[in-house]
Amino acid sequence: MNKNFKNILWILLIGLIVLASCSLSPLKDLQNNESDNTDVIDSNLIIVGFSQLGSESDWRTANTKSIQNALIEKNGFSLIFQNGRQSQENQIKDVRRFIFQQVDYILIAPVTETGWDTVLAEAKEAGIPVIIMDRMIDTKDESLYVASVGTDKYAEGQKAGLWLEKYLTEQKNKDNASMEQKSKEDASQGNESLSEETASQQENGQNTDTVNIVVLEGTLHSTAQIGRSNGFNDIAGHHTNWNILAHESGDFTKAKGKEIMAKYLQQFDDIDVLVSQNDDMTFGAIEAIQEAGLTCGVNGKIKIISFDAVSEAFDKMEAGLINVDIECNPLQGQQIADIIGRLEKGETVDKVTNLDGKVFEAANASIDRIGRTY
Ligand code: AHR
């Protein structure tokens, strides 16, 4: 082999080694974007790998934006975003990728609760702190994550049940008052038998009649589905006349919500109440109700209890189509940024942070929505 040819071979070999080591370099070669890209990241920034569970709802869009607006370069962060498209398998792959890239923190909004222990143990082994967001994980080993930020989904379910309790009592009182009035009128007209009949109806409490309820559940085995179902069912358990006709998952999407509601309407001809575990499913359900020629909401046949309280739900409350919306606050970005900031300073952080949520009723929707950003 002549000397020049040997030199060329050496140069090629060294070039190949450099190229290979660059492509395997785990760090600082991704940017804040939904897709991978290879822009170089300032090594002074805190790199956060964010595994969002999907983009199934308006709530999720607001949640993603909140994180993307808080973990920005100006605040010292570089965010790597991955969309799990409602699949835990995708999310686990994304988390493994973050571990390989040696990010500084991993943020996960887990689609379902179980099955995280192995991959989180890998993150722990790699020394990468994990923060859980929105929904929770089910694990016996709390050392697998440093903090969690979200909302109390069980309390949200209870609020829905308590609202229905209050609504039915108010209806009963209104009906009793009008029956009392009628009985007085009957008596003053000397119609004793009619007046007795009215009084006995009132005593028997006709409004304790069966209340037929259908439920659109969110993604099965997710914290939002488990918490909201359990919270509502615990209140329902105090009312023997609440009859839950059916509950099925609409996966938190409008299309599925519409499909399941259309099925319920074919199956049952006397639905009094729909409990829909998020606004997107509610929007689909309203379409199904209207297409079936039925009415819903404040003056409609089917009363609607929804969750989230996104902007379109306020439109629909103002239009009288949704009775009440249980708020679930998606604006969690600032809390996450604060937690990371404190961890960076070596401070301790709360293991669990729950954001408060309100109950919004149709009657006050136009006032309550003022100042809301999503
Ligand atoms: O986990 C929060 C829930 O997930 C929201 O209620 C819903 O809209 C979203 O898909």
Side-chain angles (χ1 to χ4, degrees):
M1 214 182 286
N2 84 33
K3 207 175 164 196
N4 278 349
F5 187 64
K6 259 191 185 172
N7 284 344
I8 290 170
L9 276 182
W10 271 114
I11 290 165
L12 277 175
L13 190 65
I14 290 165
L16 277 174
I17 292 168
V18 170
L19 267 178
S21 66
C22 283
S23 70
L24 288 174
S25 170
L27 207 51
K28 320 273 182 195
D29 62 350
L30 290 167
Q31 190 74 320
N32 175 11
N33 200 319
E34 269 215 38
S35 60
D36 294 357
N37 79 43
T38 51
D39 293 353
V40 173
I41 283 173
D42 177 351
S43 59
N44 294 318
L45 297 176
I46 302 165
I47 301 179
V48 180
F50 172 29
S51 167
Q52 177 59 288
L53 66 90
S55 46
E56 73 287 357
S57 61
D58 287 2
W59 187 98
R60 188 66 50 199
T61 305
N63 179 247
T64 298
K65 274 193 196 148
S66 166
I67 304 297
Q68 288 174 330
N69 290 339
L71 302 189
I72 51 174
E73 213 172 305
K74 189 168 79 80
N75 299 338
F77 295 99
S78 178
L79 186 68
I80 307 172
F81 179 92
Q82 290 295 340
N83 183 340
R85 300 195 157 73
Q86 298 244 65
S87 146
Q88 188 186 40
E89 203 185 327
N90 289 345
Q91 286 201 278
I92 288 176
K93 273 189 204 145
D94 293 337
V95 172
R96 291 222 160 96
R97 202 139 150 229
F98 296 149
I99 296 171
F100 175 72
Q101 290 165 340
Q102 296 174 13
V103 299
D104 298 311
Y105 291 85
I106 293 175
L107 177 62
I108 308 174
V111 64
T112 45
E113 288 199 342
T114 54
W116 293 98
D117 283 40
T118 307
V119 74
L120 294 193
E122 291 166 24
K124 188 179 169 187
E125 174 77 22
I128 304 174
V130 170
I131 299 170
I132 306 294
M133 194 199 68
D134 167 28
R135 302 179 187 171
M136 263 313 288
I137 58 165
D138 182 1
T139 179
K140 288 199 173 69
D141 183 358
E142 289 200 346
S143 76
L144 294 178
Y145 60 95
V146 286
S148 74
V149 175
T151 64
D152 185 340
K153 310 289 193 287
Y154 176 80
E156 289 163 9
Q158 278 190 315
K159 286 177 192 169
L162 291 171
W163 180 85
L164 185 57
E165 209 173 69
K166 179 185 81 126
Y167 173 81
L168 294 171
T169 306
E170 281 168 4
Q171 290 304 112
K172 182 174 175 174
N173 290 341
K174 270 189 206 159
D175 287 357
N176 281 349
S178 72
M179 269 199 245
E180 215 168 283
Q181 179 63 26
K182 191 167 176 295
S183 132
K184 273 186 199 151
E185 282 166 13
D186 290 344
S188 73
Q189 284 164 13
N191 201 340
E192 287 303 329
S193 66
L194 268 181
S195 145
E196 273 162 29
E197 192 186 316
T198 311
S200 100
Q201 280 176 355
Q202 197 177 322
E203 212 169 278
N204 290 338
Q206 288 201 329
N207 285 315
T208 57
D209 278 354
T210 304
V211 180
N212 286 323
I213 302 168
V214 291
V215 182
L216 284 173
E217 291 175 303
T219 305
L220 293 181
H221 314 298
S222 69
T223 306
Q225 179 269 317
I226 298 169
R228 290 171 189 168
S229 298
N230 290 344
F232 182 80
N233 290 344
D234 283 353
I235 302 294
H238 301 144
H239 301 277
T240 47
N241 63 322
W242 292 18
N243 179 26
I244 300 185
L245 294 169
H247 56 96
E248 204 174 313
S249 171
D251 220 7
F252 286 126
T253 68
K254 180 177 174 184
K256 266 274 184 174
K258 182 172 180 178
E259 182 190 314
I260 310 288
M261 190 65 202
K263 199 174 80 177
Y264 285 162
L265 291 168
Q266 294 213 320
Q267 271 178 293
F268 311 107
D269 55 13
D270 195 18
I271 300 172
D272 299 307
V273 178
L274 163 65
V275 179
S276 168
Q277 290 181 354
N278 89 336
D279 283 337
D280 289 73
M281 293 191 295
T282 304
F283 304 151
I286 290 173
E287 283 185 11
I289 291 168
Q290 292 175 333
E291 283 171 21
L294 295 169
T295 57
C296 59
V298 181
N299 298 313
K301 154 95 182 81
I302 302 174
K303 306 300 162 197
I304 299 189
I305 301 173
S306 191
F307 291 81
D308 284 355
V310 297
S311 176
E312 192 179 337
F314 276 91
D315 296 344
K316 295 212 169 359
M317 280 196 279
E318 284 197 62
L321 294 169
I322 297 176
N323 294 71
V324 64
D325 215 306
I326 315 300
E327 184 182 33
C328 172
N329 191 344
L331 306 181
Q332 300 169 5
Q334 196 49 55
Q335 274 76 13
I336 307 281
D338 291 347
I339 286 172
I340 296 178
R342 296 186 61 180
L343 290 169
E344 285 292 294
K345 287 191 215 143
E347 294 174 8
T348 51
V349 295
D350 290 338
K351 194 81 180 178
V352 180
T353 303
N354 269 337
L355 306 180
D356 288 338
K358 295 188 177 140
V359 174
F360 296 112
E361 293 185 290
N364 306 319
S366 59
I367 308 272
D368 288 340
R369 74 183 309 176
I370 294 169
R372 292 176 67 80
T373 55
Y374 60 94

